Amino acid sequence: MEGLSEMIELWPISNAMMEFVKAFVDEDLATVVGIAYWYSYASLFATLIIAASEFAGYWDLAEAWQNFLIFVLCPVILLALNCAGVKVSTL
């Protein structure tokens, strides 16, 4: 990871892992890395929804409110956070 942070410091780009693999190893392997990243984040998203459902059960809300919080509001908030871009600035 230290080498990766040094590479990002020298070559600040978005999608760094896939771009580094594409530039220094192979373009097909970069595609596989991208799919693996997508799969890991999709699994994490499902895990966060399950954790939110357990957390919502703490307050003893009505079943309708729990369903709204878990299946509508939490995914919308998580998608909004994930869609917010991170700006990479160069010095």
Side-chain angles (χ1 to χ4, degrees), residues 4 7-8 11 13-41:
L4 182 62
M7 287 177 67
I8 290 174
W11 191 16
I13 55 173
S14 61
N15 259 349
M17 283 300 290
M18 289 177 280
E19 292 298 324
F20 290 155
V21 172
K22 184 197 263 182
F24 299 116
V25 183
D26 186 33
E27 190 171 332
D28 294 333
L29 185 61
T31 304
V32 172
V33 168
I35 292 170
Y37 263 70
W38 174 84
Y39 183 74
S40 67
Y41 284 122

Side-chain angles (χ1 to χ4, degrees), residues 1-86:
M1 283 310 216
E2 184 178 331
L4 182 62
S5 64
E6 290 175 5
M7 287 177 67
I8 290 174
E9 183 180 324
L10 292 173
W11 191 16
I13 55 173
S14 61
N15 259 349
M17 283 300 290
M18 289 177 280
E19 292 298 324
F20 290 155
V21 172
K22 184 197 263 182
F24 299 116
V25 183
D26 186 33
E27 190 171 332
D28 294 333
L29 185 61
T31 304
V32 172
V33 168
I35 292 170
Y37 263 70
W38 174 84
Y39 183 74
S40 67
Y41 284 122
S43 300
L44 180 66
F45 187 75
T47 304
L48 287 173
I49 297 299
I50 292 170
S53 69
E54 292 294 323
F55 188 62
Y58 175 76
W59 285 297
D60 290 332
L61 298 173
E63 187 73 26
W65 282 109
Q66 281 185 357
N67 288 339
F68 175 75
L69 284 173
I70 295 164
F71 297 113
V72 177
L73 194 59
C74 286
V76 168
I77 291 171
L78 290 173
L79 282 173
L81 287 173
N82 285 321
C83 289
V86 177

